[in-house]
Amino acid sequence: MSFLNLSNIQKAFGPVQVVKDFNMAIEKGEFVSFLGPSGCGKTTVLRMIAGFETPTGGSITVNGKSQANLKPNQRNIGMVFQAYALFPNMNVAENVAFGLKIAGKPKAEIDARVKEMLGLIKLDHLAERYPYQMSGGQQQRVALARALAPKPQVLLLDEPLSALDAKIRVSLREEIRMIQQQLGITTVFVTHDQEEALSISDRIVVMNAGKADQIGKPAEIYNRPATRFVANFVGTLNLIEAKVVDPVANRITIGDQGVTLREPLGNVKVGDTVSLALRPEAGSTAPDAKGDTALTGEVISSNFLGSVIRTRMKVGPAVISFDMFNSPGLVPPAVGETATLRFTAGDLLIIRD
Amino acid sequence: MKSSRLLAWIAIAIGVIYFIVPLIGTFEFSLRMRRGEYTFDAYQSVFSDLQFRATFGYSMLMALLTIVFGMLLVVPTAYWVRLRLPQIRPVIEFITLLPLVIPAIVIVFGYLRLYNSSSWLPLTNTTSGTNVLLMFSYMTLSLPYMYRAVDTAMRAIDVATLTEAAESLGAKWPTIMFRCIFPNVMSGVLSGAFITFAIVMGEFTMAALLNRPAFGPYLQLVGANKAYEPSALAIIAFAITWLSMGFLQLVSRFQKTAPLKA
Ligand SMILES: Nc1ncnc2c1ncn2[C@@H]1O[C@H](COP(=O)(O)OP(=O)(O)OP(=O)(O)O)[C@@H](O)[C@H]1O
Ligand SMILES: [Mg+2]
């Protein structure tokens, strides 16, 4: 049995079913992200783990122990909030010591632990500061230290970085990941930012309207989206509608251009529509581009984004967007030109919802 | 532009005259106890009056008790309403406004009907019972100010998230209330306290009808029977109010906490 188990979790607010049949098993020391759009129920699941909401069905166990009859203050679960939620009347050291004092630890032990925690977040020099005297990033690090100080069984973070600006967001997420690995603490991290989830997680749960659409390692989620929703939400995948020409030979057409897929089409008939996904970095229009498959179309936009050039091309009814690494020798296709995009047929994924 | 400026100054001048002149007049009159020279004799006479000391002390004590018990009622109520019952906030606001609308005399007659010597809870039978009743009347009177002051202070902190943060760290509700919520609404508690203090020190109706030796009835008594002392007392009463207001300003300035970002 896993360390943190969520089985068949349901949650309804009145008539509205917000979480439906949510299942997840998280191993000890694992870092799992809940990724999904606003309102899909990420916070609700997290709050059920913390005990702030009661599931209307299903069960939660931590370390083999059912959490059903435990109040939030009996669960020993650390929580970090988007709005920091430091106690404004306490300074940094007092905030970090709060949970330890509640637990009735002796003073010497509290002092030592506070010192250790402040060292971990590299804020030893700000122990006497009050929350309002610190930046958002510093406050969030204190909130992290405060949550970790009483050695919780599980650490929960609800969009802890979304109130911060882009630079801090990146450095702090790496810091959170490092601290998490250092302590080996089981962690659930909620975010709606796919890059954030992809960059720091052991596994990701992509949530859609209260359900887990796909659970997997970041690379699996990115490279092999299981549903149209995941394909749309994670990365900037192209979703292409194609018509089946020959189900046995895996032949389809995009617009009027024929393509042979690697992946078996399975149970479809001639004339059926299938959805295909193509990652933007899978193809190139450069003259030396490799690939067994080509699509030709009119370039409708070409944007220079620094390290990459993002080009959009019309192929029949579909618009395909692709990114090429910038290099001094590369001449990007001009708008209005006809270009040929080359890629490997294996990169075209069939999306079955 | 010019003329509107002039009008503004005239308005201010009228206001100043309206408020200051009577005050100066009162002050000046209070100094004239001894014929032909300005002295503080009236003040001396007031301060040496045993009844002044007794009633002043009594009202001070009542004010303190009112503040303590009032806050013990108001802070948890405002907290609970914000946290769990936000939908009934308008109802609570309405209830706390009632003492402003219902005259004190109506309230006190209501109390006398409910708690007289032949009622189910005969508070007025004993002196201490009447004192308790008077304190609760003062709490009622100051409710609009206390509730509003505390509720405003609570708006500045994210009560719900702070509570959850404390809970996830293992805190039970007394700890949350007294370590995490109370200290962060201290500015509201104190401003409510100073207003309450000013109200209780000057209150007449309730103390008189409950027949307790408070400062308000004493003011009235002196006013009806003496010449110079009432003016001195009026100035003293003003000074108390101003001191309260001054402290109120100080408190809101020296708040340790800046408002949290939402
Ligand atoms: N206490 C509540 N009462 C009624 N509905 C609620 C309550 N809490 C959440 N909901 C509803 O449940 C749904 C899921 O909310 P939740 O906060 O879990 O979303 P989320 O995935 O965290 O979104 P976001 O990214 O915006 O934070 C939303 O439609 C929300 O309106
Ligand atoms: Mg949320």
Side-chain angles (χ1 to χ4, degrees):
Chain A
M1 198 174 193
S2 304
F3 188 70
L4 170 58
N5 269 292
L6 306 169
S7 6
N8 299 314
I9 299 295
Q10 320 279 342
K11 178 70 191 179
F13 290 108
V16 190
Q17 184 84 13
V18 170
V19 176
K20 294 159 206 148
D21 224 9
F22 187 89
N23 286 288
M24 177 83 213
I26 299 174
E27 302 303 326
K28 197 168 169 62
E30 203 178 9
F31 191 117
V32 171
S33 291
F34 290 178
L35 175 64
S38 186
C40 70
K42 308 178 295 285
T43 298
T44 306
V45 174
L46 204 71
R47 289 170 59 80
M48 286 191 280
I49 302 174
F52 297 128
E53 303 282 0
T54 315
T56 40
S59 71
I60 300 174
T61 61
V62 177
N63 203 5
K65 191 163 178 244
S66 166
Q67 303 288 296
N69 296 317
L70 294 179
K71 296 209 184 68
N73 58 19
Q74 300 167 321
R75 293 195 180 192
N76 192 20
I77 285 178
M79 181 109 186
V80 174
F81 302 84
Q82 180 180 343
Y84 324 136
L86 295 178
F87 303 119
N89 57 312
M90 301 178 201
N91 67 25
V92 168
E94 289 164 340
N95 263 288
V96 176
F98 186 83
L100 299 164
K101 277 195 190 136
I102 300 281
K105 296 271 187 289
K107 183 158 186 330
E109 190 185 328
I110 294 179
D111 290 347
R113 181 79 178 151
V114 168
K115 214 162 167 245
E116 183 190 342
M117 284 293 119
L118 292 184
L120 199 64
I121 57 164
K122 304 189 188 73
L123 286 182
D124 322 63
H125 56 297
L126 298 184
E128 306 290 318
R129 288 267 184 101
Y130 282 89
Y132 75 98
Q133 298 168 318
M134 294 190 301
S135 73
Q138 290 170 334
Q139 289 190 55
Q140 197 58 296
R141 274 144 78 191
V142 175
L144 180 67
R146 178 181 68 176
L148 289 172
K151 304 192 173 146
Q153 308 184 78
V154 178
L155 177 66
L156 307 176
L157 305 107
D158 191 357
E159 307 205 17
L161 306 174
S162 38
L164 305 170
D165 60 46
K167 273 231 173 76
I168 307 281
R169 217 152 50 212
V170 172
S171 67
L172 193 49
R173 79 182 183 212
E174 277 154 18
E175 207 173 318
I176 289 176
R177 174 60 160 162
M178 255 168 56
I179 291 173
Q180 184 269 336
Q181 285 178 323
Q182 205 171 327
L183 302 179
I185 184 167
T186 313
T187 301
V188 180
F189 183 96
V190 163
T191 178
H192 57 244
D193 179 334
Q194 44 107 358
E195 185 193 314
E196 213 165 271
L198 291 170
S199 63
I200 56 175
S201 317
D202 290 318
R203 277 194 300 160
I204 296 175
V205 183
V206 183
M207 286 185 66
N208 176 20
K211 297 190 314 288
D213 253 32
Q214 186 174 4
I215 300 177
K217 295 201 165 62
E220 283 167 24
I221 298 273
Y222 188 82
N223 293 329
R224 304 244 23 131
T227 66
R228 178 191 305 270
F229 174 82
V230 177
N232 258 327
F233 193 74
V234 180
T236 42
L237 263 102
N238 293 290
L239 276 180
I240 306 164
E241 301 284 298
K243 279 227 150 34
V244 177
V245 175
D246 182 349
V248 181
N250 291 325
R251 291 214 37 97
I252 49 113
T253 54
I254 298 169
D256 51 8
Q257 304 178 43
V259 172
T260 305
L261 299 176
R262 285 281 161 79
E263 198 180 339
L265 269 166
N267 190 17
V268 291
K269 299 188 299 291
V270 176
D272 277 1
T273 305
V274 290
S275 299
L276 304 173
L278 181 67
R279 279 177 294 116
E281 65 275 16
S284 168
T285 56
D288 57 345
K290 298 202 173 57
D292 52 17
T293 307
L295 288 171
T296 305
E298 188 193 337
V299 174
I300 52 176
S301 76
S302 180
N303 295 312
F304 181 67
L305 302 179
S307 61
V308 298
I309 296 162
R310 176 160 300 164
T311 310
R312 284 164 13 107
M313 189 170 102
K314 206 161 157 46
V315 179
V319 173
I320 300 176
S321 164
F322 55 95
D323 294 344
M324 289 181 287
F325 277 116
N326 180 30
S327 71
L330 179 70
V331 183
V335 174
E337 228 174 65
T338 300
T340 299
L341 178 69
R342 284 177 201 289
F343 55 94
T344 316
D347 284 328
L348 269 177
L349 308 173
I350 302 169
I351 302 292
R352 305 165 214 269
D353 284 349
Chain B
M1 180 71 208
K2 259 258 157 68
S3 72
S4 72
R5 196 110 186 227
L6 190 70
L7 280 179
W9 278 113
I10 292 177
I12 290 174
I14 292 176
V16 167
I17 292 168
Y18 184 81
F19 286 110
I20 300 288
V21 168
L23 209 58
I24 295 177
T26 310
F27 183 59
E28 197 260 359
F29 185 71
S30 73
L31 298 179
R32 292 213 309 213
M33 197 169 181
R34 202 176 299 177
R35 195 170 291 274
E37 57 176 319
Y38 284 147
T39 60
F40 283 97
D41 283 7
Y43 293 85
Q44 210 158 28
S45 156
V46 166
F47 285 128
S48 59
D49 184 354
L50 285 182
Q51 231 188 329
F52 168 84
R53 292 192 204 165
T55 56
F56 195 82
Y58 177 83
S59 282
M60 285 270 262
L61 183 65
M62 288 309 271
L64 278 180
L65 290 175
T66 306
I67 288 164
V68 170
F69 284 95
M71 284 306 166
L72 284 178
L73 172 73
V74 164
V75 177
T77 307
Y79 169 69
W80 197 250
V81 169
R82 272 199 171 266
L83 193 65
R84 289 288 138 79
L85 302 166
Q87 66 275 22
I88 71 157
R89 240 182 93 205
V91 180
I92 299 285
E93 294 218 335
F94 178 74
I95 292 174
T96 60
L97 277 179
L98 283 180
L100 284 185
V101 185
I102 303 173
I105 188 138
V106 175
I107 297 176
V108 78
F109 272 114
Y111 281 153
L112 284 173
R113 261 196 89 89
L114 269 177
Y115 303 113
N116 65 35
S117 46
S118 54
S119 72
W120 58 280
L121 183 61
L123 277 178
T124 55
N125 263 0
T126 58
T127 311
S128 48
T130 316
N131 285 340
V132 169
L133 186 56
L134 182 61
M135 189 199 76
F136 280 115
S137 324
Y138 286 157
M139 269 169 66
T140 309
L141 276 191
S142 53
L143 200 57
Y145 310 99
M146 286 214 216
Y147 182 81
R148 233 145 236 87
V150 169
D151 197 51
T152 308
M154 273 188 193
R155 189 176 316 151
I157 60 172
D158 185 349
V159 173
T161 316
L162 284 186
T163 303
E164 287 180 357
E167 269 187 301
S168 73
L169 291 165
K172 299 199 175 62
W173 92 261
T175 316
I176 299 176
M177 196 73 235
F178 288 102
R179 299 259 306 276
C180 308
I181 302 297
F182 245 106
N184 290 311
V185 295
M186 219 40 192
S187 68
V189 169
L190 288 176
S191 35
F194 289 124
I195 295 179
T196 303
F197 184 76
I199 292 175
V200 171
M201 290 313 286
E203 207 283 330
F204 170 77
T205 318
M206 299 202 160
L209 285 170
L210 290 174
N211 196 24
R212 296 308 304 141
F215 191 56
Y218 171 76
L219 282 181
Q220 194 271 340
L221 186 76
V222 173
N225 297 309
K226 295 195 177 168
Y228 298 97
E229 285 87 345
S231 306
L233 277 170
I235 296 295
I236 293 170
F238 260 106
I240 293 171
T241 312
W242 280 345
L243 270 179
S244 299
M245 297 301 153
F247 277 123
L248 211 156
Q249 289 294 322
L250 272 185
V251 169
S252 37
R253 195 157 316 160
F254 288 114
Q255 250 290 52
K256 192 161 53 180
T257 60
L260 279 179
K261 276 176 248 152

